[in-house]
Amino acid sequence: AERIRATAKAMDYRTNQIAKSLKTNRTYTIGLVLADIANPFSAALARILEDEADCFGYTVIFGSSDENPEKYKKILDALVNRQADGLILSPPQHAEAEIVSLQQQQLPFVLIDRYFPGINCNYVVLNNFKAAYDATIHLLQCGHTRVAILNYASDLVHLQERTNGYRAAMQTQGLHESGALVHTLPAIDLQEEVAMAINQLLALDQPATAILFGSNVIAMHGVKYINEKNIRVPDQLALACFDETDAFDLFYAPLTCLRQPIKPMGAMAVKLLLDAIEHPSNEPQQLQFDASLIVRASSGRPSGPA
């Protein structure tokens, strides 16, 4: 055996994984479909999942759907056809049919970051309602009664829960927010949409004094526009956002943010998937993790209207 191994190494022999999988019925690959690999959150999540899978001898093959249902289905079909042992998915909206199809094919999978309430399957997500609630309460406790939210217009539950958490926090403090303080934005032309929303918030008879950004991408466009217009943060406008991005630390008032525990979330997603591969009859598990509110300079007390 040692001579064979030494000869194989000297000859640069490569195991035929396809032939090996015919015997073991395993390819030791995990398919990963992300929402947008250009997003720092998705990139960090991919690295964590890859490192965690490697600890168990699995290779991760991943693609990015760019929030496009057709592209998502194309990538998903490719991973299934290449006989990945299991899948970790961050699906776009309107992807329920593909998830149900995976269940019918009895292919092991775990949803991460997103889920569909009507589908009983493994998922690992953030408690988005609580995260938005906590951030809004923080802004209110800093003295802001005119707190606004900028979020995506989407059918995805995790995004809707962020707006719902914001609304619940406002109501808890006896503040029934007007529609003028809630802006849901299309993903297209986002930079222009964010600028327009901020202008409208500051032009109200009672302008907003604080904004909760529903994603790091919305926040990046918002901070860029606020900086261009020389709006002082937090004196004229306080800010808080979902997800941590290194770029925010370069702003003169580093952003208060909701930090997702992506390392334990990624580790749990891999664990659930490997359990599903080994024990396909196990009941699905739905796990929610809490965000940490990281308070920085951007969420200070108001000093005057913008």
Side-chain angles (χ1 to χ4, degrees):
E2 289 300 326
R3 289 200 304 273
I4 291 170
R5 293 190 186 98
T7 303
K9 183 177 181 180
M11 296 176 65
D12 197 27
Y13 170 76
R14 304 287 181 178
T15 302
N16 187 323
Q17 294 296 339
I18 296 175
K20 183 178 179 181
S21 69
L22 293 175
K23 181 178 180 180
T24 63
N25 202 29
R26 294 279 176 85
T27 62
Y28 288 94
T29 58
I30 291 173
L32 170 63
V33 184
L34 297 164
D36 179 8
I37 192 60
N39 188 309
F41 172 80
S42 293
L45 183 60
R47 169 54 61 87
I48 288 166
L49 291 168
E50 184 178 34
D51 291 347
E52 189 67 23
D54 183 63
C55 294
F56 297 94
Y58 279 79
T59 299
V60 175
I61 302 173
F62 66 87
S64 175
S65 73
D66 300 327
E67 303 288 6
N68 184 322
E70 292 182 1
K71 186 177 180 182
Y72 169 78
K73 186 177 186 306
K74 183 178 179 181
I75 296 170
L76 192 59
D77 289 343
L79 293 171
V80 172
N81 291 336
R82 282 165 174 73
Q83 298 184 324
D85 293 333
L87 304 166
I88 298 177
L89 308 171
S90 184
Q93 59 182 338
H94 310 311
E96 292 92 334
E98 285 73 28
I99 301 301
V100 171
S101 177
L102 292 176
Q103 289 182 319
Q104 292 171 343
Q105 297 174 65
Q106 298 184 335
L107 292 172
F109 69 92
V110 176
L111 303 186
I112 191 163
D113 185 45
R114 289 106 180 265
Y115 73 104
F116 301 101
I119 301 177
N120 183 28
C121 65
N122 287 311
Y123 64 70
V124 178
V125 298
L126 187 74
N127 187 336
N128 287 282
F129 182 96
K130 183 178 184 299
Y133 181 94
D134 290 346
T136 305
I137 290 293
H138 167 69
L139 291 170
L140 292 169
Q141 289 176 343
C142 287
H144 300 278
T145 57
R146 300 286 293 170
V147 179
I149 183 170
L150 270 60
N151 200 3
Y152 286 112
S154 174
D155 292 335
L156 289 168
V157 172
H158 76 291
L159 292 173
Q160 294 179 353
E161 287 179 339
R162 294 178 182 184
T163 301
N164 292 339
Y166 156 83
R167 284 194 166 112
M170 296 289 282
Q171 292 170 3
T172 297
Q173 302 301 306
L175 300 168
H176 297 276
E177 95 296 330
S178 66
L181 291 175
V182 178
H183 285 254
T184 53
L185 313 173
I188 57 173
D189 299 324
L190 187 60
Q191 182 174 342
E192 292 79 7
E193 292 287 341
V194 170
M196 189 184 305
I198 292 174
N199 283 338
Q200 291 172 359
L201 290 171
L202 298 181
L204 294 171
D205 291 338
Q206 292 181 295
T209 63
I211 297 176
L212 171 61
F213 294 114
S215 85
N216 57 350
V217 176
I218 294 175
M220 283 189 280
H221 288 304
V223 169
K224 182 178 179 181
Y225 183 73
I226 287 166
N227 202 40
E228 288 175 359
K229 295 301 178 182
N230 294 316
I231 299 169
R232 299 192 308 277
V233 177
D235 296 337
Q236 294 175 306
L237 191 63
L239 306 175
C241 70
F242 270 80
D243 297 327
E244 200 171 26
T245 301
D246 290 342
F248 293 152
D249 292 337
L250 302 177
F251 189 52
Y252 68 85
L255 262 63
T256 292
C257 68
L258 291 156
R259 177 187 292 164
Q260 296 200 44
I262 57 175
K263 189 167 185 178
M265 288 173 67
M268 182 56 68
V270 171
K271 179 182 184 302
L272 288 183
L273 182 61
L274 297 184
D275 287 346
I277 292 171
E278 293 289 342
H279 309 286
S281 61
N282 281 1
E283 280 295 311
Q285 295 188 54
Q286 291 89 33
L287 303 176
Q288 286 193 341
F289 285 72
D290 288 338
S292 300
L293 180 64
I294 309 301
V295 178
R296 298 194 175 107
S298 72
S299 58
R301 301 187 68 84
S303 62

